[in-house]
């Protein structure tokens, strides 16, 4: 079974702006379930275990796609680590919500939950996520964590979980300054607009999904600028 990651650049699951992308993701979970009712596990870690966020997820993945939706509460202490691991092991789909990327990564690593999630991924469970939950899988991420945490007013590059190679920027339609980050580097980066997603199969980028947005590969041109290549839709 192939290993699949769907990284969504942003959007509002509550307002169903990513609905067509979610339809694709739900299909992955149902395929993994092999004829049984699919079990979708939602991690709202980056939003400090926001229960309204989970309710929005459930209204889409249960009401629209008839999957059993469940939540892993990591931050509030309401669930033991073993209870969360048990849910991971049952999941046909793991979806990670948006919020504070640095907080998400640090919290998972402190509990070693990143290793449990990656183990499930290596066993064929598709991973998906939006904004912080979409970019956390990369080696480097362009994040607004300092802004969210009230520690500063600028964006920064953070170390991600390293499952996928390279650097990724979410909400690219709002963060055009990322071009200069790439121009000053020596590597190609991935930039995902809101309501768009990049799809990886066996850690290789295979195409894009769209509910209105686009996905780009951005490379330095060696002259202080960048070269943009739109990733084709699947």
């Amino acid at each position: 079974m192939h290993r699949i990651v769907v990284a969504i650049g942003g959007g509002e699951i509550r307002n169903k702006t990513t609905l067509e992308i979610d339809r694709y993701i739900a299909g992955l979970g149902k395929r993994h379930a092999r004829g049984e009712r699919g079990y979708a596990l939602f991690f709202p870690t980056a939003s400090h275990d926001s229960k309204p966020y989970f309710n929005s997820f459930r209204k889409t993945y249960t009401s629209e796609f008839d999957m059993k939706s469940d939540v892993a509460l990591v931050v509030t202490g309401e669930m033991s680590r073993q209870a969360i691991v048990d849910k991971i092991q049952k999941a046909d789909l793991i979806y990670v919500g948006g919020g504070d990327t640095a907080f998400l990564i640090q919290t998972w690593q402190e509990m070693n939950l990143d290793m449990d999630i990656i183990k499930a991924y290596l066993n064929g469970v598709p991973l998906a996520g939006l904004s912080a939950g979409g970019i956390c899988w990369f080696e480097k991420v362009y994040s607004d964590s300092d802004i969210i945490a009230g520690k500063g007013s600028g964006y920064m590059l953070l170390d991600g979980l390293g499952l996928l190679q390279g650097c990724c920027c979410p909400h690219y339609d709002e963060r055009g300054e990322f071009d200069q980050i790439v121009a000053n580097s020596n590597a190609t980066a991935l930039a995902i607009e809101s309501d768009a997603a990049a799809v990886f199969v066996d850690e290789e980028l295979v195409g894009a999904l769209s509910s209105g947005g686009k996905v780009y590969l951005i490379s330095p041109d060696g002259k202080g600028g960048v070269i943009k290549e739109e990733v084709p839709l699947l």
Side-chain angles (χ1 to χ4, degrees):
M1 185 176 291
H2 289 294
R3 303 178 301 276
I4 302 175
V5 178
V6 181
I8 309 170
E12 291 289 341
I13 193 168
R14 176 182 58 188
N15 298 328
K16 294 184 167 45
T17 69
T18 58
L19 187 63
E20 291 311 306
I21 297 170
D22 291 313
R23 191 181 310 280
Y24 179 93
I25 293 169
L28 296 175
K30 290 180 178 182
R31 187 171 69 190
H32 185 272
R34 297 180 179 178
E36 301 294 328
R37 191 184 186 206
Y39 177 95
L41 181 60
F42 181 71
F43 277 85
T45 312
S47 60
H48 295 253
D49 283 354
S50 169
K51 291 181 180 178
Y53 198 174
F54 170 60
N55 288 336
S56 295
F57 175 83
R58 181 169 53 192
K59 285 178 181 177
T60 293
Y61 278 78
T62 297
S63 299
E64 292 281 346
F65 306 127
D66 192 32
M67 297 189 75
K68 175 178 172 55
S69 297
D70 201 356
V71 64
L73 298 175
V74 176
V75 182
T76 59
E78 294 180 45
M79 296 178 184
S80 68
R81 184 187 185 284
Q82 188 56 54
I84 295 168
V85 170
D86 289 345
K87 293 186 178 192
I88 292 171
Q89 292 173 346
K90 292 191 299 182
D92 295 303
L93 166 69
I94 294 172
Y95 186 114
V96 185
D100 186 337
T101 313
F103 178 79
L104 163 67
I105 293 170
Q106 179 182 352
T107 302
W108 280 3
Q109 290 179 334
E110 287 175 351
M111 298 180 66
N112 287 326
L113 283 174
D114 56 324
M115 295 294 99
D116 294 294
I117 293 168
I118 290 173
K119 181 178 179 181
Y121 163 78
L122 293 175
N123 287 328
V125 178
L127 303 180
L130 183 146
S131 189
I135 66 174
C136 64
W137 317 110
F138 291 82
E139 291 175 319
K140 293 284 184 180
V141 301
Y142 188 59
S143 170
D144 61 354
S145 286
D146 271 1
I147 299 172
I148 293 173
K151 298 178 180 178
S153 59
Y155 296 92
M156 59 184 176
L157 289 175
L158 296 175
D159 290 332
L161 296 173
L163 185 63
L164 302 174
Q165 291 184 346
C167 178
C168 184
C169 171
H171 304 286
Y172 178 60
D173 45 318
E174 303 170 12
R175 301 180 184 177
E177 77 281 357
F178 184 67
D179 286 359
Q180 195 58 49
I181 301 285
V182 177
N184 294 334
S185 73
N186 59 2
T188 298
L190 186 67
I192 311 173
E193 294 181 344
S194 296
D195 301 329
V199 180
F200 289 79
V201 176
D202 299 335
E203 298 78 57
E204 296 291 333
L205 179 65
V206 298
L209 304 171
S210 178
S211 290
K214 296 180 180 180
V215 179
Y216 296 93
L217 288 169
I218 305 178
S219 305
D221 66 4
K223 302 175 184 178
V226 297
I227 300 168
K228 293 185 186 182
E229 177 187 354
E230 185 176 340
V231 177
L233 294 175
L234 288 176

